[in-house]
Amino acid sequence: MKRKQFEEYLRSGTANNITVGVLATIGLIFGAKSFTGTQISLVEYCFIPSTLTNPVNRQRYCTPNKRYIMPEAEFYASSYAPANPEFQRDNFLPTKATRLRIIPPSNPDKALWGLASVFFLGRAFTLSKAREWRLLQLIPSVREEIRSNWLISKLWSGLRLHKEAYSAQLDYEFHQWSENRRVREAQLSQMTPQELAIFQEQVRLRAEAEARVQLQQVTGQPVGALPGQSMQDIARGDDKVTGSEQQTLGQNTAISLDPSESLALNTLQALARADSSTALVAAPGSGKSVTLNYLIQKILADSPNADIWVISAKNDSFCGLREKERVIVFDGENPDLAKEVIDRFYLNYKKRKQLPESKRESLPPLILILDDWLVIADQLSKHYSDWNYGSKLLDVLLIGREFNTKFIASLQSFNLAALGIEKMDAQTRLCLNLLLLGNRYIKNGREQESYGVLELILNRGDIIPGKQEREQIKSKYLDIKAVSYQNLRPVMIASVGGFVVALMPILSNKVNSIASEQEYLDRVFDLEFNLNAAHNVHPKPLSEVAKKIYEYFQNVKSKTPKTLRDLKKADRLSGYSESELIDGVAELVKTEKINSDGNDSYSLPDW
């Protein structure tokens, strides 16, 4: 309604403009008329000497420059009587003026013209402002009406499309129903009477089962109840699993809560075997210490001669490294020992950089573990302001992988600047593996959460650049977080080339776990039933990757020991990942197909 009024008002704009223009023109004409001519009578006078009596001479004397004009009323008033401007005492010129003629008024209605001009101009201004005010009054309501009409049109269009889709779906379902009915009729027509009776019985039983389920839902009877069974029978405790059986079931169910646990385990193994450095970021209670111990165990299991040093704020064992005097407990008042360890680690790294390329491949891992590094780094920066440990860590981060040297920094918050690396840009961060943990745990009877670190990087574009990838990771994280929250199991987000989101497994006894279920069954059989001391063990067939690696050793031209780096460069092994190559080599060493000197150097027995 308002829109129609607005449109009518717009259509009447031309007529309104013409009216305003006409009124303004008339007002201007009347105004101009009011400023022309005289409204009162005027007297033309002259100061004629009294000595001139001849009219002709008097007329000649009053030349145009001696003639004056003034209002008639003022001419006869004594107070306004004109004075002779050329009067001088003892002169013959008179002081009193002589009237020559009266000039009638040329525009006696001057005031009326002015009033008419003011009226017409005021009328034009009033009409213009009234139209403008009316338009301003109508615009908000018209805008709201247009918005409402637009929404209604969108809804109508959506309803129309939905109606068309629904009609098409009904047509399709009707067509399917017709086809199914035709096929069913054809099937029933070919059945024997016995088959038809069996089919009818199946239909009847299915209908009874559906009706029973609906009845249970309506009456509130438990779905698992048997016919005639009451709630007391269900709650009876003599058929419950108790004692050790319940504990066994709990252990079995705790083995795997999510399929991603195997992915998490493979990721941890890849981090332990990776050449690049790692930042382990987790708040207290997230399983940081357990994860760090697992990484150390895996490193020692793969490389028993690994040179590992630990700087920590607590005196933990770190998988026996403390007993080997490889753990330095940081003392804030006397941090010299921690500084010496970092300098010694960097010195050993610099010695490796001097080695030729042929000797680098057989180097054992050189690893520096910085536990609770935020606290330690802060104290070191205060005590040694001129000592730049960050440049050493940056050197190891960027180039250390070429010399089997890396560090593992354990942080409690996502503050990578605490590593002391000033130029930690996006490109440098790609060289650093990230392992972040979050969990829900119970401490002192209180529930606490530590998912903040994970949820921080999910919203940072500099960590996960792609928006689509970030949304996929976030969706996967929310699914696994629900399992973690319910079962008090940590969630992992790791960056090892690409991002991995998984539920952390139970890491106890994972390093020396049995490789497969078949091997486990064979071992149980040997322990329980094979009493022959010299029992025959059927060799397990080699895996595909182990066969490819063995073929590489047989066909290689140079009969010199090979390293894992050589296997990576081989064309026939380019399709396998580093972890698969490591497992294949371990399988060949176990079956004595190849020999190993323990320093990542492998060869055939006949070389």
Side-chain angles (χ1 to χ4, degrees):
M1 188 64 182
K2 294 292 184 182
R3 185 178 179 182
K4 292 182 179 180
Q5 294 179 4
F6 185 76
E7 292 176 353
E8 292 176 358
Y9 219 73
L10 289 178
R11 285 193 294 268
S12 64
T14 303
N16 186 81
N17 293 336
I18 293 174
T19 303
V20 172
V22 171
L23 292 175
T25 303
I26 295 173
L28 292 175
I29 293 173
F30 286 180
K33 183 65 175 177
S34 66
F35 284 99
T36 59
T38 58
Q39 186 180 3
I40 58 177
S41 300
L42 301 177
V43 174
E44 185 179 14
Y45 60 94
C46 178
F47 293 94
I48 302 174
S50 58
T51 57
L52 293 178
T53 58
N54 189 351
V56 176
N57 293 333
R58 292 169 68 91
Q59 190 70 26
R60 289 177 180 175
Y61 177 81
C62 292
T63 58
N65 59 339
K66 293 181 179 182
R67 294 172 179 262
Y68 303 97
I69 297 174
M70 69 179 301
E72 183 181 8
E74 296 179 359
F75 181 81
Y76 293 107
S78 59
S79 58
Y80 295 103
N84 188 356
E86 299 180 1
F87 173 77
Q88 295 179 3
R89 191 174 298 275
D90 299 331
N91 197 345
F92 64 92
L93 290 176
T95 59
K96 187 175 181 180
T98 303
R99 186 186 69 183
L100 299 179
R101 63 174 178 148
I102 296 177
I103 302 174
S106 61
N107 189 7
D109 300 327
K110 216 173 187 185
L112 297 177
W113 291 113
L115 290 175
S117 174
V118 171
F119 172 77
F120 283 103
L121 289 177
R123 185 62 177 169
F125 179 77
T126 303
L127 286 177
S128 176
K129 285 298 180 179
R131 175 178 173 78
E132 180 181 351
W133 176 81
R134 184 57 179 165
L135 288 175
L136 292 176
Q137 291 291 323
L138 289 175
I139 284 176
S141 57
V142 170
R143 186 185 294 115
E144 186 65 27
E145 186 175 349
I146 291 174
R147 185 185 294 111
S148 301
N149 293 337
W150 180 81
L151 290 175
I152 292 173
S153 64
K154 285 293 183 182
L155 291 175
W156 180 256
S157 177
L159 289 175
R160 181 175 55 81
L161 293 176
H162 179 72
K163 181 179 179 181
E164 293 176 356
Y166 183 70
S167 300
Q169 183 66 22
L170 288 179
D171 294 340
Y172 174 76
E173 292 179 356
F174 180 75
H175 175 71
Q176 288 292 107
W177 179 81
S178 301
E179 288 295 320
N180 293 337
R181 182 177 181 182
R182 185 181 60 81
V183 173
R184 182 62 56 86
E185 289 178 353
Q187 292 176 348
L188 293 177
S189 63
Q190 296 177 0
M191 285 185 179
T192 62
Q194 293 80 6
E195 293 175 343
L196 188 60
I198 294 174
F199 175 75
Q200 291 176 349
E201 183 66 17
Q202 291 176 348
V203 172
R204 185 184 65 81
L205 293 176
R206 188 182 301 113
E208 290 181 355
E210 293 177 354
R212 189 181 304 110
V213 172
Q214 294 179 358
L215 181 62
Q216 289 176 347
Q217 293 177 352
V218 172
T219 58
Q221 183 181 4
V223 179
L226 299 175
Q229 190 177 24
S230 63
M231 286 297 299
Q232 288 78 9
D233 297 332
I234 297 176
R236 200 176 67 244
D238 55 356
D239 59 346
K240 300 293 186 296
V241 178
T242 59
S244 60
E245 296 177 352
Q246 185 177 8
Q247 184 178 2
T248 304
L249 288 175
Q251 294 175 353
N252 292 335
T253 56
I255 292 177
S256 178
L257 298 175
D258 190 84
S260 63
E261 293 184 33
S262 58
L263 176 61
L265 193 61
N266 292 335
T267 303
L268 292 176
Q269 295 174 358
L271 286 173
R273 295 166 177 167
D275 297 333
S276 53
S277 300
T278 302
L280 172 59
V281 185
S286 302
K288 177 165 52 69
S289 300
V290 177
T291 305
L292 184 59
N293 284 329
Y294 176 80
L295 293 176
I296 297 174
Q297 290 178 5
K298 189 61 182 176
I299 293 171
L300 294 176
D302 294 339
S303 302
N305 58 342
D307 189 5
I308 304 177
W309 289 88
V310 181
I311 301 177
S312 176
K314 50 184 181 291
N315 190 20
D316 291 350
S317 175
F318 292 99
C319 303
L321 294 177
R322 181 184 60 189
E323 287 71 17
K324 298 179 182 179
E325 298 182 353
R326 292 301 185 97
V327 177
I328 306 302
V329 181
F330 181 76
D331 185 2
E333 298 180 356
N334 185 18
D336 294 340
L337 190 56
K339 179 177 180 297
E340 292 177 3
V341 170
I342 296 177
D343 290 337
R344 189 187 311 152
F345 168 79
Y346 188 69
L347 180 61
N348 293 336
Y349 165 65
K350 289 175 64 177
K351 292 180 179 179
R352 292 189 173 201
K353 294 171 68 174
Q354 303 299 325
L355 296 176
E357 186 177 2
S358 58
K359 295 184 179 181
R360 298 176 190 170
E361 300 176 353
S362 59
L363 290 173
L366 175 61
I367 303 172
L368 176 63
I369 298 178
L370 308 172
D371 188 34
D372 292 328
W373 183 240
L374 287 177
V375 179
I376 299 176
D378 181 65
Q379 294 294 328
L380 290 176
S381 301
K382 292 179 180 179
H383 283 80
Y384 308 104
S385 58
D386 57 343
W387 179 62
N388 189 4
Y389 64 87
S391 61
K392 298 179 174 59
L393 296 181
L394 179 61
D395 190 1
V396 174
L397 175 64
L398 298 179
I399 312 176
R401 61 189 309 166
E402 299 293 332
F403 308 94
N404 205 5
T405 304
K406 64 181 180 180
F407 64 84
I408 301 177
S410 173
L411 311 172
Q412 292 186 354
S413 65
F414 194 74
N415 183 15
L416 298 182
L419 295 175
I421 302 176
E422 297 179 355
K423 298 181 180 180
M424 180 62 79
D425 53 8
Q427 194 65 29
T428 308
R429 193 180 292 113
L430 294 177
C431 302
L432 181 66
N433 296 326
L434 296 178
L435 176 58
L436 303 100
L437 302 176
N439 192 18
R440 169 178 170 263
Y441 60 97
I442 299 176
K443 184 177 182 181
N444 299 328
R446 296 170 54 189
E447 294 185 3
Q448 300 185 25
E449 297 182 16
S450 58
Y451 297 103
V453 173
L454 303 179
E455 295 172 358
L456 174 64
I457 70 162
L458 292 177
N459 298 316
R460 289 185 54 174
D462 57 337
I463 303 297
I464 309 176
K467 182 178 181 181
Q468 183 177 1
E469 181 184 5
R470 191 160 60 248
E471 293 299 326
Q472 293 176 354
I473 294 175
K474 187 180 297 185
S475 175
K476 180 67 174 177
Y477 163 73
L478 293 176
D479 294 339
I480 297 181
K481 180 183 177 182
V483 182
S484 168
Y485 191 88
Q486 183 178 2
N487 297 276
L488 305 179
R489 189 81 69 83
V491 183
M492 162 207 291
I493 296 182
S495 171
V496 190
F499 279 90
V500 175
V501 184
L503 185 70
M504 286 286 288
I506 298 177
L507 295 179
S508 58
N509 301 327
K510 286 291 183 181
V511 176
N512 299 321
S513 60
I514 300 174
S516 64
E517 182 180 359
Q518 183 61 40
E519 185 178 350
Y520 171 74
L521 295 176
D522 294 341
R523 185 181 300 179
V524 171
F525 175 79
D526 293 338
L527 293 175
E528 297 292 339
F529 303 103
N530 194 351
L531 303 180
N532 186 7
H535 57 275
N536 295 325
V537 179
H538 299 284
K540 183 181 179 181
L542 295 176
S543 62
E544 186 67 25
V545 62
K547 293 179 182 178
K548 292 292 184 180
I549 296 174
Y550 189 62
E551 292 176 2
Y552 165 76
F553 276 97
Q554 290 178 329
N555 298 325
V556 71
K557 294 181 180 180
S558 60
K559 307 298 182 181
T560 58
K562 304 299 177 183
T563 62
L564 183 61
R565 190 182 300 276
D566 296 328
L567 299 181
K568 293 180 183 179
K569 296 179 181 179
D571 294 336
R572 70 176 64 201
L573 302 176
S574 59
Y576 298 100
S577 63
E578 181 180 352
S579 60
E580 291 176 336
L581 293 176
I582 293 175
D583 293 339
V585 170
E587 186 177 351
L588 292 175
V589 172
K590 182 179 179 180
T591 56
E592 298 181 355
K593 294 289 185 180
I594 60 176
N595 295 332
S596 173
D597 61 355
N599 293 325
D600 192 25
S601 180
Y602 309 96
S603 61
L604 290 178
D606 55 351
W607 284 5

